Amino acid sequence: MTPIRVLLADDQALLRSAFRVLVDSEPDMQVVGEAADGAQAVALARSTRADVVLMDIRMPGTDGLTATRTISADPDLAGVRIVMLTTFEVDEYVVQSLRAGASGFLGKGAEPDELLNAIRVAAAGEALLSPVATKGLIATFLAQGGSGDGSDDTEYAERLAALTGREREVLVQVAGGNSNDQIADRLVVSPLTVKTHVNRAMAKLGARDRAQLVVIAYESGLVRPRVE
């Protein structure tokens, strides 16, 4: 099995060293580069052909958000998955990161097993968005001006219209932070069927992964945020 190629992007050398030791201790993954800022991260993503980038949001010079946008916009780097590293699970830049193309986010205080799992989840093309994180994402989305009032319907109307009724149902469930198994239980279908609907929705909406589906669901107004 080819190991997952991991790129570390953080301005703290000590933290990068700790991540390197942890990642390289796993037989199914290896660190292929370290970057101290976003510009280096972009360059190394291109030269190392990394599968997953652990990207700190706040770095001097070119920050992680800008680097994420650059990587996501490069067709040659379409297979690169980015996991944003944040000081808090809900960071003020999380929504922008997901809009920019990140596959999810992880707090820097996460346990080692959580970090390793995040790398595997991202490499598999899934989104790293737990129900708790998704609720926080929605709150952040609201705070940053995402109204969920359908103001972006013009952009998404045609693509949303291409979804089947079941695909819309599944998209609403994904936006609620539910896993495929949870959605399968709610809709009384198999997890494999749910996965098929999710994949078709991503293709029709031009979403890179599950994280992008969540953002699209709220930005399009298909799902309205609830303030509890």
Side-chain angles (χ1 to χ4, degrees):
M1 176 185 292
T2 302
I4 299 169
R5 299 167 64 81
V6 182
L7 172 61
L8 308 175
D10 196 294
D11 60 325
Q12 298 181 49
L14 186 61
L15 193 57
R16 293 199 310 272
S17 295
F19 284 160
R20 176 181 279 276
V21 171
L22 178 63
V23 172
D24 282 343
S25 70
E26 296 297 298
D28 63 336
M29 58 183 73
Q30 69 177 113
V31 174
V32 294
E34 294 184 28
D37 60 42
Q40 289 181 0
V42 173
L44 286 172
R46 289 178 176 140
S47 64
T48 65
R49 314 309 296 178
D51 298 309
V52 177
V53 181
L54 293 182
M55 182 85 74
D56 186 19
I57 287 183
R58 295 182 177 87
M59 291 183 286
T62 303
D63 62 21
L65 180 58
T66 301
T68 297
R69 286 198 186 105
T70 302
I71 291 173
S72 299
D74 189 336
D76 290 336
L77 300 177
V80 178
R81 297 290 177 248
I82 301 171
V83 175
M84 306 303 294
L85 297 174
T86 67
T87 302
F88 304 101
E89 186 175 17
V90 179
D91 186 280
E92 62 180 296
Y93 295 119
V94 163
V95 173
Q96 291 96 318
S97 299
L98 295 176
R99 283 172 175 157
S103 294
F105 54 97
L106 190 70
K108 287 188 176 181
E111 294 295 324
D113 285 348
E114 290 181 277
L115 178 66
L116 296 173
N117 180 65
I119 293 171
R120 294 184 178 103
V121 168
E126 298 294 333
L128 191 68
L129 289 173
S130 67
V132 171
T134 301
K135 289 181 180 179
L137 166 63
I138 294 167
T140 308
F141 178 77
L142 285 170
Q144 293 177 347
S147 60
D149 61 0
S151 59
D152 290 325
D153 274 353
T154 301
E155 177 184 354
Y156 294 112
E158 186 173 332
R159 284 184 285 173
L160 285 175
L163 298 181
T164 65
R166 181 61 89 180
E167 287 165 358
R168 280 177 174 254
E169 284 184 284
V170 170
L171 177 55
V172 169
Q173 292 296 321
V174 169
N178 297 305
S179 67
N180 284 357
D181 286 343
Q182 291 172 323
I183 297 173
D185 287 341
R186 293 187 178 203
L187 301 184
V188 196
V189 296
S190 73
L192 181 59
T193 296
V194 173
K195 184 176 181 179
T196 297
H197 287 313
V198 169
N199 289 338
R200 286 176 179 168
M202 286 194 293
K204 291 179 180 180
L205 296 174
R208 284 170 61 94
D209 56 28
R210 203 180 187 93
Q212 298 302 299
L213 285 181
V214 175
V215 175
I216 289 172
Y218 284 95
E219 287 194 324
S220 67
L222 178 64
V223 177
R224 305 299 174 89
R226 293 180 182 177
V227 179
E228 297 181 358

